[in-house]
Amino acid sequence: MTGTGTADAVHRTDPAETRDRSFGGGGGRRKGRPFNKGRQVDPAALSEVRDVLADRPRRRDLLIEHLHALQDRFGHLSARHLAALAHEMRLAMAEVWEVATFYAHFDVVKEDAAPPPATTIRVCDSLSCALAGAEDLIAALRERPDADVRVVRAPCMGACDKAPVAAVGHRLVEHAAAASVRDASARPDPAPTIEPVRHADYRAGGGYALLRRCLDGRLTPDAVIAEIEKAGLRGLGGAGFPTARKWSLVRAAEGPKLMAVNADEGEPGTFKDRWFLERDPHRMLEGALVAAWVVGAEAVYIYLRDEYPEIHAVLHDEIAALAAAGLTPHTEVHLRRGAGAYICGEESAMIESIEGKRGLPRHRPPYVAQRGLFDRPTLVNNVETLWWIRDIVENGGDWFAALGKPGHPGLRSYSVSGRVKNPGVKMVAAGTTARELIEQHCGGMLEGHAFKGYLPGGASGGILPASMADLPLDFGQLEKHGCFVGSHAVVILSDRDDMKDVALNLLRFFEDESCGQCTPCRTGTEKAVALMAGGSWDRPLLEELTAVMRDASICGLGQAAGNPILSVMKFFPEDLR
Protein backbone atom coordinates (compact mmCIF):
# COMPACT_ATOMS: atom_id res chain seq x y z
CA MET A 1 0.00 0.00 0.00
CA THR A 2 1.49 3.32 -1.07
CA GLY A 3 1.48 6.37 1.14
CA THR A 4 0.25 9.88 0.41
CA GLY A 5 3.26 11.79 1.58
CA THR A 6 3.27 14.76 -0.80
CA ALA A 7 1.72 18.06 0.16
CA ASP A 8 -0.63 18.21 -2.83
CA ALA A 9 -1.93 14.66 -2.44
CA VAL A 10 -5.48 15.82 -1.80
CA HIS A 11 -5.73 17.76 -5.06
CA ARG A 12 -6.02 16.44 -8.56
CA THR A 13 -3.11 17.46 -10.75
CA ASP A 14 -3.84 19.71 -13.72
CA PRO A 15 -3.65 17.44 -16.81
CA ALA A 16 -1.67 20.13 -18.61
CA GLU A 17 1.08 19.73 -16.05
CA THR A 18 1.52 15.96 -16.43
CA ARG A 19 4.97 14.73 -17.39
CA ASP A 20 5.85 13.37 -20.81
CA ARG A 21 6.04 9.61 -20.22
CA SER A 22 6.88 8.63 -23.83
CA PHE A 23 9.47 5.91 -24.26
CA GLY A 24 12.56 6.52 -26.33
CA GLY A 25 12.04 5.99 -30.04
CA GLY A 26 8.34 5.29 -29.66
CA GLY A 27 7.14 8.79 -30.42
CA GLY A 28 3.93 8.11 -28.49
CA ARG A 29 2.83 10.19 -25.56
CA ARG A 30 1.21 8.67 -22.45
CA LYS A 31 -0.16 11.08 -19.91
CA GLY A 32 0.52 10.44 -16.23
CA ARG A 33 -2.17 9.83 -13.68
CA PRO A 34 -4.27 12.90 -12.84
CA PHE A 35 -3.66 12.09 -9.13
CA ASN A 36 -1.00 10.40 -6.98
CA LYS A 37 -0.91 6.63 -6.62
CA GLY A 38 -2.28 5.09 -3.44
CA ARG A 39 -5.13 5.93 -1.12
CA GLN A 40 -6.41 9.45 -1.65
CA VAL A 41 -6.91 11.79 1.28
CA ASP A 42 -10.42 12.99 1.96
CA PRO A 43 -10.26 16.77 2.58
CA ALA A 44 -13.02 16.51 5.19
CA ALA A 45 -11.13 13.77 7.05
CA LEU A 46 -7.94 15.82 6.89
CA SER A 47 -9.75 18.77 8.40
CA GLU A 48 -11.09 16.56 11.22
CA VAL A 49 -7.64 15.15 11.94
CA ARG A 50 -6.13 18.62 12.09
CA ASP A 51 -8.90 19.72 14.42
CA VAL A 52 -8.19 16.81 16.79
CA LEU A 53 -4.42 17.25 16.74
CA ALA A 54 -4.64 21.03 16.99
CA ASP A 55 -1.17 22.35 17.84
CA ARG A 56 0.32 19.02 18.90
CA PRO A 57 3.68 18.27 17.26
CA ARG A 58 3.52 15.92 14.28
CA ARG A 59 6.60 13.96 15.34
CA ARG A 60 6.89 10.28 14.43
CA ASP A 61 7.23 9.18 18.05
CA LEU A 62 3.81 10.69 18.84
CA LEU A 63 1.96 8.47 16.37
CA ILE A 64 0.35 6.29 19.06
CA GLU A 65 -0.66 9.36 21.07
CA HIS A 66 -2.34 10.79 17.96
CA LEU A 67 -4.11 7.50 17.27
CA HIS A 68 -5.46 7.59 20.81
CA ALA A 69 -6.68 11.15 20.29
CA LEU A 70 -8.56 10.15 17.14
CA GLN A 71 -10.10 7.07 18.71
CA ASP A 72 -11.12 9.03 21.81
CA ARG A 73 -12.91 11.53 19.59
CA PHE A 74 -14.59 9.22 17.06
CA GLY A 75 -14.79 5.89 18.90
CA HIS A 76 -12.77 4.05 16.25
CA LEU A 77 -10.08 4.57 13.61
CA SER A 78 -11.50 4.80 10.12
CA ALA A 79 -9.47 4.23 6.96
CA ARG A 80 -10.15 7.81 5.87
CA HIS A 81 -8.78 9.21 9.14
CA LEU A 82 -5.73 6.96 9.02
CA ALA A 83 -4.98 8.13 5.49
CA ALA A 84 -5.37 11.75 6.58
CA LEU A 85 -3.14 11.18 9.62
CA ALA A 86 -0.44 9.63 7.43
CA HIS A 87 -0.61 12.67 5.16
CA GLU A 88 -0.51 15.10 8.09
CA MET A 89 2.48 13.35 9.70
CA ARG A 90 4.26 12.79 6.35
CA LEU A 91 4.33 9.03 6.89
CA ALA A 92 3.60 6.18 4.54
CA MET A 93 0.13 4.77 4.99
CA ALA A 94 1.69 1.39 5.77
CA GLU A 95 3.55 2.87 8.74
CA VAL A 96 0.36 4.20 10.27
CA TRP A 97 -1.69 1.11 9.44
CA GLU A 98 0.78 -1.39 10.90
CA VAL A 99 0.90 0.48 14.21
CA ALA A 100 -2.85 1.02 14.44
CA THR A 101 -3.60 -2.66 13.79
CA PHE A 102 -0.91 -3.96 16.17
CA TYR A 103 -2.50 -2.72 19.41
CA ALA A 104 -5.67 -4.32 20.79
CA HIS A 105 -7.26 -1.10 22.00
CA PHE A 106 -7.38 0.52 18.57
CA ASP A 107 -10.55 -0.31 16.62
CA VAL A 108 -9.48 -0.03 12.99
CA VAL A 109 -12.38 0.04 10.54
CA LYS A 110 -11.55 -0.79 6.96
CA GLU A 111 -12.98 1.12 4.05
CA ASP A 112 -16.74 0.64 3.58
CA ALA A 113 -16.98 -1.43 6.78
CA ALA A 114 -19.42 -0.52 9.54
CA PRO A 115 -17.96 1.13 12.65
CA PRO A 116 -18.08 -0.80 15.93
CA PRO A 117 -21.03 -0.40 18.32
CA ALA A 118 -21.04 2.72 20.46
CA THR A 119 -20.17 0.76 23.63
CA THR A 120 -17.57 -1.95 24.03
CA ILE A 121 -17.64 -4.20 27.08
CA ARG A 122 -14.36 -5.98 27.67
CA VAL A 123 -14.46 -8.93 30.06
CA CYS A 124 -11.17 -10.17 31.45
CA ASP A 125 -10.75 -13.90 30.86
CA SER A 126 -7.25 -14.28 32.31
CA LEU A 127 -6.69 -16.77 35.09
CA SER A 128 -7.82 -14.93 38.24
CA CYS A 129 -11.00 -13.73 36.55
CA ALA A 130 -11.58 -17.15 34.98
CA LEU A 131 -11.42 -18.69 38.46
CA ALA A 132 -14.02 -16.13 39.61
CA GLY A 133 -16.54 -16.90 36.86
CA ALA A 134 -15.55 -14.85 33.81
CA GLU A 135 -16.94 -17.43 31.39
CA ASP A 136 -20.38 -17.32 33.02
CA LEU A 137 -20.25 -13.52 32.93
CA ILE A 138 -19.45 -13.46 29.21
CA ALA A 139 -22.25 -15.93 28.49
CA ALA A 140 -24.75 -13.90 30.53
CA LEU A 141 -23.83 -10.64 28.81
CA ARG A 142 -24.19 -12.23 25.38
CA GLU A 143 -27.59 -13.74 26.17
CA ARG A 144 -29.32 -10.42 25.53
CA PRO A 145 -27.50 -8.85 22.56
CA ASP A 146 -27.76 -5.11 22.07
CA ALA A 147 -27.06 -3.51 18.69
CA ASP A 148 -25.23 -0.62 20.39
CA VAL A 149 -23.09 -2.86 22.62
CA ARG A 150 -20.49 -5.51 21.88
CA VAL A 151 -18.98 -7.94 24.39
CA VAL A 152 -15.40 -9.03 23.81
CA ARG A 153 -12.80 -10.99 25.72
CA ALA A 154 -9.81 -9.12 27.11
CA PRO A 155 -6.56 -10.06 28.84
CA CYS A 156 -5.64 -9.11 32.40
CA MET A 157 -6.73 -5.59 33.42
CA GLY A 158 -4.59 -5.32 36.55
CA ALA A 159 -7.47 -5.77 39.01
CA CYS A 160 -7.11 -9.48 39.82
CA ASP A 161 -8.00 -8.92 43.49
CA LYS A 162 -11.43 -7.68 42.41
CA ALA A 163 -12.20 -10.52 39.98
CA PRO A 164 -14.10 -10.94 37.83
CA VAL A 165 -13.71 -7.54 36.23
CA ALA A 166 -15.01 -5.91 33.09
CA ALA A 167 -14.42 -2.56 31.43
CA VAL A 168 -17.25 -0.56 29.91
CA GLY A 169 -15.30 1.69 27.59
CA HIS A 170 -12.64 2.78 30.06
CA ARG A 171 -14.78 2.36 33.18
CA LEU A 172 -13.68 -0.58 35.31
CA VAL A 173 -16.44 -2.67 36.90
CA GLU A 174 -15.11 -4.59 39.89
CA HIS A 175 -16.59 -7.89 41.13
CA ALA A 176 -18.61 -7.74 37.95
CA ALA A 177 -21.99 -9.35 37.43
CA ALA A 178 -24.15 -9.09 34.33
CA ALA A 179 -26.49 -6.61 36.04
CA SER A 180 -23.74 -4.30 37.26
CA VAL A 181 -22.02 -4.31 33.87
CA ARG A 182 -25.25 -3.53 32.04
CA ASP A 183 -25.96 -0.75 34.53
CA ALA A 184 -22.52 0.75 33.92
CA SER A 185 -23.01 0.56 30.14
CA ALA A 186 -26.30 2.45 30.43
CA ARG A 187 -24.76 5.36 32.36
CA PRO A 188 -22.65 8.01 30.62
CA ASP A 189 -20.83 8.85 33.85
CA PRO A 190 -17.03 9.01 33.70
CA ALA A 191 -15.00 6.44 35.55
CA PRO A 192 -14.81 7.08 39.31
CA THR A 193 -11.86 9.24 40.26
CA ILE A 194 -9.17 8.02 42.61
CA GLU A 195 -7.82 10.06 45.50
CA PRO A 196 -4.04 9.63 45.61
CA VAL A 197 -1.58 11.77 47.53
CA ARG A 198 -1.28 15.02 45.61
CA HIS A 199 1.77 17.24 45.08
CA ALA A 200 1.07 19.71 47.90
CA ASP A 201 0.34 17.01 50.48
CA TYR A 202 3.36 14.98 49.44
CA ARG A 203 5.68 17.96 49.84
CA ALA A 204 4.09 18.82 53.19
CA GLY A 205 5.11 15.36 54.37
CA GLY A 206 8.75 15.84 53.39
CA GLY A 207 8.40 14.81 49.79
CA TYR A 208 10.96 16.02 47.24
CA ALA A 209 13.39 17.00 50.01
CA LEU A 210 15.65 14.21 48.78
CA LEU A 211 15.45 15.51 45.22
CA ARG A 212 16.29 19.03 46.46
CA ARG A 213 19.35 17.69 48.25
CA CYS A 214 20.47 16.06 45.01
CA LEU A 215 19.86 19.13 42.85
CA ASP A 216 21.54 21.43 45.41
CA GLY A 217 24.70 19.32 45.50
CA ARG A 218 24.28 18.12 49.08
CA LEU A 219 24.29 14.55 47.81
CA THR A 220 26.44 12.98 45.12
CA PRO A 221 25.35 10.34 42.58
CA ASP A 222 27.89 7.95 44.07
CA ALA A 223 26.38 8.38 47.53
CA VAL A 224 22.88 7.60 46.25
CA ILE A 225 24.07 4.53 44.35
CA ALA A 226 25.94 3.32 47.44
CA GLU A 227 22.78 3.33 49.58
CA ILE A 228 20.81 1.51 46.89
CA GLU A 229 23.54 -1.12 46.69
CA LYS A 230 23.47 -1.61 50.48
CA ALA A 231 19.70 -2.03 50.30
CA GLY A 232 20.00 -4.87 47.82
CA LEU A 233 17.27 -3.27 45.70
CA ARG A 234 16.54 -5.12 42.47
CA GLY A 235 14.37 -4.55 39.44
CA LEU A 236 10.88 -5.46 40.64
CA GLY A 237 9.20 -5.62 37.26
CA GLY A 238 10.24 -9.24 36.88
CA ALA A 239 13.90 -9.51 35.87
CA GLY A 240 15.42 -8.75 39.28
CA PHE A 241 18.59 -7.07 37.93
CA PRO A 242 20.45 -5.19 40.72
CA THR A 243 19.35 -1.56 40.56
CA ALA A 244 22.65 -0.02 41.69
CA ARG A 245 24.53 -1.89 38.99
CA LYS A 246 22.07 -0.81 36.30
CA TRP A 247 22.29 2.85 37.35
CA SER A 248 26.10 2.66 37.33
CA LEU A 249 26.17 1.14 33.84
CA VAL A 250 23.95 3.83 32.35
CA ARG A 251 25.75 6.61 34.22
CA ALA A 252 29.07 5.44 32.79
CA ALA A 253 27.76 5.30 29.22
CA GLU A 254 28.89 7.99 26.83
CA GLY A 255 26.63 10.50 25.16
CA PRO A 256 23.18 11.91 25.97
CA LYS A 257 21.03 9.54 28.04
CA LEU A 258 17.33 8.93 28.56
CA MET A 259 15.15 7.09 31.03
CA ALA A 260 11.95 5.03 30.68
CA VAL A 261 9.61 4.04 33.50
CA ASN A 262 7.82 0.76 32.87
CA ALA A 263 4.24 1.08 34.18
CA ASP A 264 2.79 -1.39 31.69
CA GLU A 265 2.22 -4.35 34.02
CA GLY A 266 0.27 -6.84 31.94
CA GLU A 267 1.31 -10.15 33.50
CA PRO A 268 -1.86 -12.01 34.58
CA GLY A 269 -2.02 -11.83 38.35
CA THR A 270 -0.05 -8.58 38.62
CA PHE A 271 -1.62 -5.39 39.96
CA LYS A 272 0.94 -3.89 42.34
CA ASP A 273 1.85 -0.92 40.14
CA ARG A 274 -1.81 0.08 40.03
CA TRP A 275 -1.85 -0.13 43.85
CA PHE A 276 1.23 2.09 44.22
CA LEU A 277 0.14 4.70 41.69
CA GLU A 278 -3.42 4.96 42.97
CA ARG A 279 -2.16 5.77 46.45
CA ASP A 280 1.12 7.68 46.26
CA PRO A 281 2.34 8.37 42.71
CA HIS A 282 4.79 11.02 43.90
CA ARG A 283 7.06 8.44 45.52
CA MET A 284 7.52 6.92 42.08
CA LEU A 285 7.92 10.35 40.49
CA GLU A 286 10.54 11.45 43.02
CA GLY A 287 12.40 8.18 42.55
CA ALA A 288 12.37 8.71 38.78
CA LEU A 289 13.63 12.28 39.06
CA VAL A 290 16.43 11.21 41.41
CA ALA A 291 17.37 8.39 39.03
CA ALA A 292 17.43 10.78 36.08
CA TRP A 293 19.74 13.09 38.05
CA VAL A 294 22.06 10.22 39.01
CA VAL A 295 22.53 8.87 35.48
CA GLY A 296 22.23 12.21 33.67
CA ALA A 297 19.06 11.44 31.72
CA GLU A 298 17.84 14.40 29.69
CA ALA A 299 14.26 13.12 29.61
CA VAL A 300 12.07 10.60 31.43
CA TYR A 301 9.32 8.73 29.57
CA ILE A 302 6.62 7.13 31.75
CA TYR A 303 4.89 4.35 29.80
CA LEU A 304 1.53 3.64 31.45
CA ARG A 305 -0.85 0.89 30.38
CA ASP A 306 -4.10 2.04 28.80
CA GLU A 307 -6.20 0.11 31.32
CA TYR A 308 -5.39 2.75 33.97
CA PRO A 309 -7.15 5.92 32.71
CA GLU A 310 -7.70 7.40 36.18
CA ILE A 311 -3.99 7.10 36.96
CA HIS A 312 -3.16 8.67 33.59
CA ALA A 313 -5.28 11.72 34.48
CA VAL A 314 -3.59 12.04 37.87
CA LEU A 315 -0.06 11.70 36.48
CA HIS A 316 -0.82 14.22 33.74
CA ASP A 317 -1.78 16.84 36.35
CA GLU A 318 0.92 16.00 38.87
CA ILE A 319 3.75 16.04 36.31
CA ALA A 320 2.63 19.54 35.30
CA ALA A 321 2.65 20.52 38.98
CA LEU A 322 6.25 19.33 39.34
CA ALA A 323 7.38 21.45 36.40
CA ALA A 324 5.53 24.48 37.79
CA ALA A 325 7.24 23.96 41.17
CA GLY A 326 10.69 23.98 39.55
CA LEU A 327 11.45 20.36 40.45
CA THR A 328 12.43 19.25 36.94
CA PRO A 329 15.25 21.62 35.89
CA HIS A 330 17.52 18.68 35.07
CA THR A 331 15.17 16.65 32.90
CA GLU A 332 11.87 16.61 31.02
CA VAL A 333 9.06 14.25 31.99
CA HIS A 334 6.80 12.76 29.30
CA LEU A 335 3.74 10.59 29.89
CA ARG A 336 3.00 7.99 27.22
CA ARG A 337 -0.10 5.83 26.95
CA GLY A 338 0.05 2.17 26.02
CA ALA A 339 -2.60 0.67 23.77
CA GLY A 340 -3.23 -2.87 24.93
CA ALA A 341 -0.16 -5.02 24.22
CA TYR A 342 1.29 -7.29 26.92
CA ILE A 343 4.53 -7.55 24.97
CA CYS A 344 5.24 -3.87 25.68
CA GLY A 345 6.06 -4.83 29.24
CA GLU A 346 9.31 -6.17 27.76
CA GLU A 347 11.71 -3.24 27.96
CA SER A 348 12.86 -3.10 24.34
CA ALA A 349 9.30 -3.56 23.04
CA MET A 350 8.23 -0.73 25.35
CA ILE A 351 10.96 1.46 23.88
CA GLU A 352 9.75 0.70 20.37
CA SER A 353 6.24 1.70 21.43
CA ILE A 354 7.43 4.95 23.01
CA GLU A 355 9.03 5.71 19.66
CA GLY A 356 5.59 5.33 18.05
CA LYS A 357 6.13 1.90 16.51
CA ARG A 358 4.81 -1.61 16.91
CA GLY A 359 5.95 -3.17 20.18
CA LEU A 360 8.40 -5.67 18.74
CA PRO A 361 11.24 -6.77 21.08
CA ARG A 362 14.72 -5.98 19.85
CA HIS A 363 17.54 -8.43 19.37
CA ARG A 364 20.36 -8.16 21.90
CA PRO A 365 23.10 -7.00 21.97
CA PRO A 366 23.16 -4.03 22.07
CA TYR A 367 21.28 -3.79 25.35
CA VAL A 368 19.03 -0.84 26.09
CA ALA A 369 21.54 0.50 28.60
CA GLN A 370 23.86 0.92 25.62
CA ARG A 371 21.40 1.79 22.82
CA GLY A 372 17.83 2.16 23.90
CA LEU A 373 15.29 4.91 23.38
CA PHE A 374 16.09 6.90 20.22
CA ASP A 375 19.38 4.94 20.12
CA ARG A 376 20.62 6.58 23.32
CA PRO A 377 21.81 4.81 26.49
CA THR A 378 18.59 4.32 28.44
CA LEU A 379 17.81 3.53 32.06
CA VAL A 380 14.65 1.42 32.43
CA ASN A 381 13.08 0.94 35.86
CA ASN A 382 9.81 -0.46 37.15
CA VAL A 383 7.31 1.57 39.22
CA GLU A 384 7.90 -0.33 42.47
CA THR A 385 11.69 -0.13 42.16
CA LEU A 386 11.51 3.67 41.92
CA TRP A 387 8.85 3.86 44.65
CA TRP A 388 11.41 2.67 47.22
CA ILE A 389 14.22 5.11 46.33
CA ARG A 390 13.18 7.89 48.71
CA ASP A 391 12.84 5.59 51.74
CA ILE A 392 16.12 3.83 51.01
CA VAL A 393 18.24 6.98 50.64
CA GLU A 394 16.60 8.86 53.52
CA ASN A 395 16.71 5.94 55.97
CA GLY A 396 19.79 4.18 54.67
CA GLY A 397 20.29 1.06 52.65
CA ASP A 398 21.05 -1.04 55.72
CA TRP A 399 17.65 -0.09 57.19
CA PHE A 400 15.83 -1.32 54.11
CA ALA A 401 17.83 -4.54 53.81
CA ALA A 402 17.06 -5.43 57.44
CA LEU A 403 13.31 -5.37 56.75
CA GLY A 404 13.52 -8.62 54.80
CA LYS A 405 14.06 -12.16 55.97
CA PRO A 406 17.66 -13.42 56.37
CA GLY A 407 19.25 -13.58 52.95
CA HIS A 408 16.31 -11.71 51.37
CA PRO A 409 16.81 -7.95 51.76
CA GLY A 410 13.97 -5.45 51.86
CA LEU A 411 10.21 -5.36 51.62
CA ARG A 412 8.20 -6.71 48.68
CA SER A 413 4.70 -6.23 47.40
CA TYR A 414 3.07 -9.53 46.48
CA SER A 415 -0.04 -9.36 44.28
CA VAL A 416 -2.16 -12.19 45.66
CA SER A 417 -5.33 -13.39 43.96
CA GLY A 418 -7.25 -16.59 43.35
CA ARG A 419 -8.80 -18.89 45.96
CA VAL A 420 -8.12 -16.84 49.10
CA LYS A 421 -10.49 -14.91 51.35
CA ASN A 422 -8.67 -11.58 51.23
CA PRO A 423 -6.75 -11.05 47.98
CA GLY A 424 -4.77 -7.88 47.37
CA VAL A 425 -1.30 -6.35 47.50
CA LYS A 426 0.55 -7.62 50.55
CA MET A 427 3.54 -5.51 51.60
CA VAL A 428 5.69 -7.95 53.57
CA ALA A 429 9.28 -9.07 54.01
CA ALA A 430 11.12 -10.35 50.98
CA GLY A 431 11.40 -14.11 51.10
CA THR A 432 7.87 -14.63 52.43
CA THR A 433 6.37 -17.98 51.40
CA ALA A 434 3.08 -18.78 49.70
CA ARG A 435 1.85 -20.54 52.83
CA GLU A 436 2.58 -17.45 54.93
CA LEU A 437 0.77 -15.24 52.43
CA ILE A 438 -2.31 -17.45 52.58
CA GLU A 439 -2.44 -18.02 56.32
CA GLN A 440 -1.05 -14.78 57.76
CA HIS A 441 -1.99 -12.14 55.19
CA CYS A 442 -4.97 -13.39 53.16
CA GLY A 443 -7.24 -14.86 55.84
CA GLY A 444 -6.83 -18.41 54.58
CA MET A 445 -8.41 -20.27 51.69
CA LEU A 446 -11.97 -19.67 50.55
CA GLU A 447 -14.56 -21.78 52.34
CA GLY A 448 -14.78 -25.22 50.83
CA HIS A 449 -11.45 -24.95 49.00
CA ALA A 450 -8.28 -26.88 49.85
CA PHE A 451 -4.89 -25.49 48.83
CA LYS A 452 -3.60 -27.40 45.80
CA GLY A 453 -1.00 -25.23 44.06
CA TYR A 454 0.05 -21.72 43.16
CA LEU A 455 1.61 -19.52 40.52
CA PRO A 456 4.63 -17.85 42.19
CA GLY A 457 5.28 -15.32 39.44
CA GLY A 458 2.26 -14.77 37.23
CA ALA A 459 1.46 -16.54 33.99
CA SER A 460 5.07 -17.12 32.95
CA GLY A 461 6.49 -18.09 36.36
CA GLY A 462 5.32 -21.71 36.33
CA ILE A 463 3.03 -23.57 38.75
CA LEU A 464 4.09 -25.20 42.03
CA PRO A 465 2.21 -27.69 44.23
CA ALA A 466 1.01 -26.96 47.77
CA SER A 467 3.73 -29.31 49.05
CA MET A 468 6.28 -26.69 47.94
CA ALA A 469 4.51 -23.71 49.53
CA ASP A 470 7.32 -23.08 52.03
CA LEU A 471 9.87 -21.94 49.45
CA PRO A 472 10.95 -18.30 49.79
CA LEU A 473 9.30 -16.22 47.06
CA ASP A 474 12.37 -14.33 45.96
CA PHE A 475 14.82 -14.12 43.09
CA GLY A 476 17.06 -17.13 42.58
CA GLN A 477 15.01 -19.45 44.80
CA LEU A 478 12.65 -21.16 42.37
CA GLU A 479 14.68 -21.51 39.19
CA LYS A 480 15.91 -24.99 40.09
CA HIS A 481 12.27 -26.08 40.07
CA GLY A 482 11.64 -24.60 36.62
CA CYS A 483 9.82 -21.55 38.03
CA PHE A 484 10.60 -17.96 38.99
CA VAL A 485 9.09 -15.21 41.11
CA GLY A 486 9.05 -12.55 38.36
CA SER A 487 6.82 -9.64 39.34
CA HIS A 488 5.70 -11.39 42.56
CA ALA A 489 2.21 -12.17 41.24
CA VAL A 490 0.92 -15.08 43.33
CA VAL A 491 -2.26 -16.84 42.17
CA ILE A 492 -3.59 -19.43 44.63
CA LEU A 493 -5.28 -22.57 43.25
CA SER A 494 -7.46 -25.14 45.00
CA ASP A 495 -8.64 -28.71 44.73
CA ARG A 496 -11.50 -27.46 42.55
CA ASP A 497 -9.10 -26.40 39.80
CA ASP A 498 -7.99 -28.69 36.98
CA MET A 499 -4.37 -27.88 36.31
CA LYS A 500 -4.74 -28.77 32.63
CA ASP A 501 -7.40 -26.08 32.34
CA VAL A 502 -5.21 -23.62 34.26
CA ALA A 503 -2.27 -24.21 31.90
CA LEU A 504 -4.51 -23.97 28.84
CA ASN A 505 -5.85 -20.59 30.03
CA LEU A 506 -2.28 -19.33 30.39
CA LEU A 507 -1.18 -20.62 26.98
CA ARG A 508 -4.19 -19.03 25.30
CA PHE A 509 -3.06 -15.74 26.83
CA PHE A 510 0.43 -16.16 25.39
CA GLU A 511 -0.95 -17.18 22.00
CA ASP A 512 -3.07 -14.03 21.87
CA GLU A 513 -0.32 -11.73 23.14
CA SER A 514 2.59 -12.98 21.04
CA CYS A 515 3.78 -10.08 18.89
CA GLY A 516 4.29 -12.50 15.98
CA GLN A 517 7.84 -11.41 15.22
CA CYS A 518 9.50 -14.82 15.65
CA THR A 519 8.20 -18.17 14.47
CA PRO A 520 9.03 -20.24 17.60
CA CYS A 521 6.76 -18.03 19.72
CA ARG A 522 4.10 -17.13 17.16
CA THR A 523 3.57 -20.67 15.89
CA GLY A 524 4.70 -22.47 19.03
CA THR A 525 2.06 -20.95 21.30
CA GLU A 526 -0.62 -21.67 18.69
CA LYS A 527 0.46 -25.31 18.33
CA ALA A 528 0.69 -25.71 22.11
CA VAL A 529 -2.90 -24.53 22.56
CA ALA A 530 -4.10 -26.93 19.86
CA LEU A 531 -2.27 -29.86 21.45
CA MET A 532 -3.49 -29.02 24.96
CA ALA A 533 -7.10 -28.45 23.94
CA GLY A 534 -7.34 -31.82 22.20
CA GLY A 535 -7.85 -33.85 25.37
CA SER A 536 -4.98 -36.07 26.46
CA TRP A 537 -1.57 -34.45 26.19
CA ASP A 538 1.18 -35.79 23.95
CA ARG A 539 3.91 -35.28 26.54
CA PRO A 540 6.99 -35.93 24.35
CA LEU A 541 5.70 -33.61 21.65
CA LEU A 542 4.83 -30.84 24.13
CA GLU A 543 8.24 -31.18 25.78
CA GLU A 544 9.96 -30.87 22.41
CA LEU A 545 7.80 -27.86 21.47
CA THR A 546 8.49 -26.01 24.72
CA ALA A 547 12.24 -26.65 24.31
CA VAL A 548 12.20 -25.05 20.85
CA MET A 549 10.22 -22.08 22.15
CA ARG A 550 12.58 -21.64 25.09
CA ASP A 551 15.77 -21.89 23.05
CA ALA A 552 14.80 -20.02 19.88
CA SER A 553 12.37 -17.24 20.83
CA ILE A 554 13.61 -13.65 20.76
CA CYS A 555 12.21 -12.52 24.11
CA GLY A 556 10.91 -13.79 27.42
CA LEU A 557 7.34 -14.31 26.24
CA GLY A 558 8.17 -17.27 24.03
CA GLN A 559 11.04 -18.40 26.25
CA ALA A 560 8.79 -18.72 29.32
CA ALA A 561 5.44 -19.57 27.69
CA GLY A 562 6.04 -23.29 28.11
CA ASN A 563 6.60 -23.11 31.87
CA PRO A 564 2.95 -23.85 32.79
CA ILE A 565 2.98 -26.94 30.55
CA LEU A 566 6.17 -28.32 32.06
CA SER A 567 4.98 -27.55 35.59
CA VAL A 568 1.74 -29.48 35.16
CA MET A 569 3.57 -32.48 33.70
CA LYS A 570 6.14 -32.42 36.52
CA PHE A 571 4.09 -31.57 39.60
CA PHE A 572 0.49 -32.52 38.76
CA PRO A 573 0.67 -35.79 36.78
CA GLU A 574 -2.62 -36.91 38.33
CA ASP A 575 -4.43 -34.14 36.41
CA LEU A 576 -3.15 -35.57 33.11
CA ARG A 577 -4.93 -38.91 33.54
Side-chain angles (χ1 to χ4, degrees), residues 20-29:
D20 183 355
R21 295 177 180 267
S22 59
F23 294 94
R29 179 180 177 87

Short mmCIF file of all heavy atoms in Angstrom, two decimals, residues 20-29:
data_model
loop_
_atom_site.label_atom_id
_atom_site.label_comp_id
_atom_site.label_asym_id
_atom_site.label_seq_id
_atom_site.Cartn_x
_atom_site.Cartn_y
_atom_site.Cartn_z
N ASP A 20 5.77 14.15 -19.58
CA ASP A 20 5.85 13.37 -20.81
C ASP A 20 6.43 12.00 -20.46
O ASP A 20 7.57 11.88 -20.04
CB ASP A 20 6.76 14.08 -21.82
CG ASP A 20 6.82 13.34 -23.15
OD1 ASP A 20 6.24 12.24 -23.27
OD2 ASP A 20 7.44 13.89 -24.05
N ARG A 21 5.60 10.95 -20.59
CA ARG A 21 6.04 9.61 -20.22
C ARG A 21 6.33 8.76 -21.45
O ARG A 21 6.26 7.54 -21.39
CB ARG A 21 4.98 8.94 -19.34
CG ARG A 21 4.79 9.64 -18.00
CD ARG A 21 3.68 8.98 -17.20
NE ARG A 21 3.50 9.64 -15.92
CZ ARG A 21 4.09 9.26 -14.80
NH1 ARG A 21 4.93 8.25 -14.82
NH2 ARG A 21 3.87 9.90 -13.68
N SER A 22 6.61 9.42 -22.62
CA SER A 22 6.88 8.63 -23.83
C SER A 22 8.19 7.89 -23.69
O SER A 22 9.10 8.33 -23.01
CB SER A 22 6.93 9.55 -25.05
OG SER A 22 7.94 10.52 -24.89
N PHE A 23 8.26 6.72 -24.30
CA PHE A 23 9.47 5.91 -24.26
C PHE A 23 10.34 6.25 -25.46
O PHE A 23 9.86 6.57 -26.54
CB PHE A 23 9.11 4.43 -24.26
CG PHE A 23 8.37 4.00 -23.03
CD1 PHE A 23 6.99 3.99 -23.01
CD2 PHE A 23 9.06 3.66 -21.88
CE1 PHE A 23 6.31 3.60 -21.88
CE2 PHE A 23 8.39 3.27 -20.75
CZ PHE A 23 7.01 3.24 -20.73
N GLY A 24 11.63 6.16 -25.28
CA GLY A 24 12.56 6.52 -26.33
C GLY A 24 12.29 5.79 -27.63
O GLY A 24 12.15 4.58 -27.67
N GLY A 25 12.21 6.57 -28.72
CA GLY A 25 12.04 5.99 -30.04
C GLY A 25 10.60 5.69 -30.39
O GLY A 25 10.28 5.44 -31.53
N GLY A 26 9.71 5.67 -29.38
CA GLY A 26 8.34 5.29 -29.66
C GLY A 26 7.53 6.42 -30.25
O GLY A 26 6.61 6.19 -31.03
N GLY A 27 7.86 7.64 -29.90
CA GLY A 27 7.14 8.79 -30.42
C GLY A 27 5.79 8.99 -29.81
O GLY A 27 5.18 10.03 -29.99
N GLY A 28 5.25 7.95 -29.09
CA GLY A 28 3.93 8.11 -28.49
C GLY A 28 4.01 8.87 -27.18
O GLY A 28 5.05 8.95 -26.54
N ARG A 29 2.88 9.41 -26.79
CA ARG A 29 2.83 10.19 -25.56
C ARG A 29 1.76 9.61 -24.65
O ARG A 29 0.61 9.47 -25.06
CB ARG A 29 2.51 11.65 -25.89
CG ARG A 29 2.41 12.56 -24.67
CD ARG A 29 2.08 13.97 -25.11
NE ARG A 29 1.90 14.87 -23.99
CZ ARG A 29 2.88 15.54 -23.40
NH1 ARG A 29 4.10 15.38 -23.86
NH2 ARG A 29 2.64 16.33 -22.38
#
